[in-house]
Amino acid sequence: MRKVVVTGAAGGLATRMLPALRERYELVLLDVTQTARKGGVVEDVIVADLMERDRDCYREYFRGADAVVHCAYRRVDRSDMEKHFSTEMDNITMAYNLYQICLEEGIRRAVVLSSNHAADFYEELIWGGKMEMVTSGMQPLSNNIYGWAKASYEHLGFVFATGGRTHSMHPPRRRRPQPSQRPKLENIQIRIGNVNEHYIERFGAEDLAQMHRYLGAYLSQRDQVQLIVKSIETQDIADEYGVPFHIFYGISGNAHRFWSIANAKKVIGYEPEDDSQLLFAEGIARITTAVQSAVKGSG
């Protein structure tokens, strides 16, 4: 069995897939708490703070691992801009610590749960009728600090995937610094969509755009597991330039999707089993019927 470290193991995204991952891997579960967001204790979680700059404090938990699934994230009240920015900087530091310890301990691959908000500026264009599909190859643009931080995780991951060329010290008489190459950390970033199973229950006749957004962004539990497993196990993920780095949108095979999953299908063979249009057919029928009734009533 592969040894896989899961950070943020008591969080919602991690606990959603832990039963399946427990059957497949030897897991090391890390979090700052053993209590799940919805209550209850998550079995076998080791309390560790990856924000700690002294990586020796948690190094032993990564030793001998094949891959890391990074779900950890420190939350903050986003209404306070200063505190939000400061905490997001801490989260970027945590991502750095994660990438660095992977290199130091010879871990093959990091699978990082990013967010669709890393490029959420494009949604304004989609809902304004100026764009139909967003791909992960587009420049990540966000209009908020949270999304900016997620894009920063991604870019930092790319640096580590390239080998992070640095310039070594050199004698004074040598004019040009000589580049040194570090090992490449294979890196997959997954921009998670919406995992709320009951969100559609909130919508009424006036919420067609929100319904479309929810249906397009939905990621089912089993599709999440498949995406993570294939991101861990696919042997060769090098791109055409030899860089083992990819960004995938974490959504199911939704007919309403506005984010492309073509690269995940190509690179790791992702074949989603679910479509929100089928899973939530009753909710869609309720809303469309309400819309039709409203139209008739106004006529």
Side-chain angles (χ1 to χ4, degrees):
M1 297 182 84
R2 298 172 188 261
K3 181 178 179 180
V4 175
V5 179
V6 179
T7 70
L13 287 174
T15 54
R16 195 173 189 239
M17 59 185 172
L18 280 185
L21 298 187
R22 288 183 190 275
E23 293 179 359
R24 197 174 188 95
Y25 307 121
E26 174 192 346
L27 294 183
V28 177
L29 307 180
L30 304 179
D31 208 321
V32 292
T33 178
Q34 296 176 322
T35 304
R37 287 184 62 193
K38 295 183 179 180
V41 174
V42 180
E43 184 180 355
D44 298 330
V45 168
I46 299 168
V47 175
D49 186 359
L50 303 185
M51 211 80 77
E52 172 59 57
R53 292 178 183 271
D54 181 2
R55 290 185 290 275
D56 288 339
C57 293
Y58 42 81
R59 181 177 305 280
E60 62 182 297
Y61 307 126
F62 291 84
R63 196 159 290 145
D66 175 69
V68 174
V69 179
H70 184 49
C71 309
Y73 170 74
R74 180 168 292 179
R75 296 180 177 275
V76 66
D77 179 4
R78 299 180 192 176
S79 64
D80 187 319
M81 186 75 162
E82 294 290 336
K83 290 182 179 179
H84 189 184
F85 177 77
S86 178
T87 301
E88 294 296 3
M89 289 297 291
D90 287 341
N91 283 321
I92 294 171
T93 296
M94 179 163 54
Y96 171 82
N97 286 339
L98 186 282
Y99 298 146
Q100 190 63 38
I101 203 164
C102 283
L103 278 187
E104 292 168 359
E105 293 302 319
I107 296 172
R108 177 181 59 95
R109 185 172 300 171
V111 179
V112 180
L113 272 59
S114 180
S115 169
N116 65 85
H117 292 288
D120 58 5
F121 169 74
Y122 296 112
E123 283 199 51
E124 296 183 8
L125 304 181
I126 288 174
W127 306 127
K130 300 176 182 179
M131 181 181 291
E132 292 185 354
M133 185 68 67
V134 179
T135 72
S136 60
M138 294 177 176
Q139 181 182 0
L141 294 176
S142 180
N143 57 11
N144 57 83
I145 294 295
Y146 174 74
W148 164 82
K150 292 298 187 181
S152 298
Y153 299 176
E154 294 177 354
H155 197 173
L156 186 59
F158 181 81
V159 170
F160 277 80
T162 63
R165 293 177 68 86
T166 58
H167 288 93
S168 59
M169 297 296 292
H170 54 279
R173 59 183 170 218
R174 298 181 68 174
R175 295 183 179 180
R176 298 185 63 185
Q178 299 299 303
S180 61
Q181 190 77 32
R182 300 193 304 177
K184 295 179 179 181
L185 172 62
E186 298 178 10
N187 201 295
I188 289 179
Q189 304 276 331
I190 301 178
R191 292 178 179 170
I192 299 296
N194 194 317
V195 299
N196 191 317
E197 305 286 347
H198 306 289
Y199 211 70
I200 198 167
E201 297 170 7
R202 303 181 182 183
F203 301 141
E206 69 282 4
D207 301 317
L208 279 181
Q210 291 92 328
M211 181 188 76
H212 185 177
R213 202 269 178 190
Y214 169 69
L215 294 173
Y218 178 72
L219 175 64
S220 72
Q221 183 177 18
R222 63 178 175 177
D223 285 341
Q224 178 183 334
V225 169
Q226 182 196 158
L227 193 54
I228 295 297
V229 167
K230 289 186 173 180
S231 292
I232 291 171
E233 297 184 6
T234 299
Q235 184 172 353
D236 183 7
I237 64 167
D239 66 10
E240 64 269 34
Y241 305 110
V243 179
F245 177 89
H246 292 279
I247 299 170
F248 302 142
Y249 271 101
I251 59 174
S252 291
N254 306 318
H256 288 73
R257 67 179 176 269
F258 47 90
W259 298 318
S260 174
I261 56 175
N263 64 330
K265 290 183 174 183
K266 179 180 178 181
V267 176
I268 63 171
Y270 176 50
E271 290 295 338
E273 298 180 74
D274 291 314
D275 182 341
S276 58
Q277 181 172 264
L278 301 177
L279 289 175
F280 305 117
E282 291 185 6
I284 296 172
R286 173 183 59 80
I287 295 167
T288 54
T289 298
V291 171
Q292 291 169 350
S293 297
V295 171
K296 289 180 180 179
S298 63

